[in-house]
Amino acid sequence: GDRGGGWNFHTNMNAAWRSSADTELSLEPSFRRSYATAQYLSTLTDATADQTFGRRYLFAGLRQTTVSLTARLNANFTPDMSLELYLEPFLSSGRYERPKELAAPRTFEFNEFGTDVGTMSRMASGAYRIDPDGSGPAESFDMSDRSFNFRTLQGNAVFRWEWRPGSTIFLVWQQVRSARLLTTSAGDGVGDFDLGHDARELFRIHPDNVFQIKVNYWLNP
């Protein structure tokens, strides 16, 4: 934790299982939660922002949850034939709180729009319409909700066969799934973390597959 109210919690473990001298499986799950009191958003030029020298420095609290898993499988079928598998799913969500602005230079004090200063309303698109001084001379502006859900899966499979001494063939398969969801409407749930739902949606993402073949041939075995 820190004096500003932010905090971070992270835990992970590593487990390995070996069925014989030829097969080994390792799993490393990881879980992280954090809260940033003032995540930087943007800077706007505004001549009426006297306290901050004609600029408005915009921030928001950010609550983030991340779950990942690293899995590896090494299997040696014979001294000449083996299979290596690698899989890493990654799920993360970030929920931004209501925008606020820096109150004064050289401080860690903020004014929340709609509560401490000005007015703020939520539009159908999920963005905020902000008037920084209410009925004052400052112009209103729009600020998007930066909340997100990020899902990605990376996997590799490598099959090796040494069909003759010094001559080897490698068959490689790589798959990547990745998607980032951003707020498009108020109350669409973007930024909320749901492990079961996010895991199911991860496998519905259209994958990119790459296949490779590599051959080493020893001319004089």
Side-chain angles (χ1 to χ4, degrees):
D2 58 49
R3 290 182 296 175
W7 52 267
N8 178 74
F9 172 80
H10 176 226
T11 182
N12 70 303
M13 62 176 291
N14 186 289
W17 173 75
R18 184 187 296 271
S19 65
S20 65
D22 301 324
T23 304
E24 182 177 4
L25 173 66
S26 67
L27 301 173
E28 185 175 354
S30 174
F31 175 77
R32 181 186 297 273
R33 291 194 67 187
S34 63
Y35 175 65
T37 308
Q39 178 68 36
Y40 174 77
L41 295 177
S42 182
T43 301
L44 300 178
T45 300
D46 188 340
T48 66
D50 299 330
Q51 295 296 321
T52 48
F53 308 108
R55 291 177 178 269
R56 297 190 183 275
Y57 299 91
L58 307 181
F59 298 81
L62 172 61
R63 299 183 183 275
Q64 189 167 358
T65 302
T66 301
V67 172
S68 64
L69 171 68
T70 300
R72 293 182 173 88
L73 173 66
N74 296 321
N76 296 310
F77 306 113
T78 69
D80 302 326
M81 188 180 298
S82 65
L83 177 66
E84 296 182 6
L85 299 177
Y86 172 84
L87 186 68
E88 184 179 9
F90 179 92
L91 304 172
S92 184
S93 68
R95 167 66 67 183
Y96 280 87
E97 297 178 343
R98 294 165 64 90
K100 54 191 177 183
E101 67 175 353
L102 183 67
R106 302 192 181 189
T107 71
F108 198 70
E109 302 294 331
F110 303 90
N111 293 324
E112 185 177 292
F113 296 114
T115 302
D116 302 318
V117 293
T119 61
M120 182 170 63
S121 60
R122 195 80 183 269
M123 298 186 292
S125 63
Y128 296 97
R129 174 67 53 83
I130 299 172
D131 190 329
D133 61 354
S135 58
E139 295 185 1
S140 61
F141 59 90
D142 294 342
M143 172 65 62
S144 62
D145 184 346
R146 308 293 179 85
S147 298
F148 63 89
N149 287 86
F150 183 69
R151 304 161 183 153
T152 183
L153 174 68
Q154 297 185 6
N156 293 302
V158 179
F159 177 77
R160 179 191 66 88
W161 176 33
E162 188 175 359
W163 82 90
R164 58 183 296 180
S167 298
T168 309
I169 184 170
F170 296 90
L171 304 179
V172 181
W173 173 33
Q174 180 183 66
Q175 183 179 105
V176 177
R177 300 170 185 258
S178 181
R180 182 183 179 93
L181 303 181
L182 301 176
T183 299
T184 57
S185 62
D188 58 8
V190 173
D192 298 333
F193 185 82
D194 185 330
L195 179 60
H197 174 74
D198 288 341
R200 290 191 298 270
E201 291 299 314
L202 176 62
F203 288 95
R204 294 174 181 171
I205 300 172
H206 182 75
D208 293 325
N209 293 293
V210 177
F211 298 92
Q212 299 179 8
I213 299 177
K214 178 181 177 180
V215 178
N216 295 332
Y217 183 76
W218 187 255
L219 296 176
N220 297 298

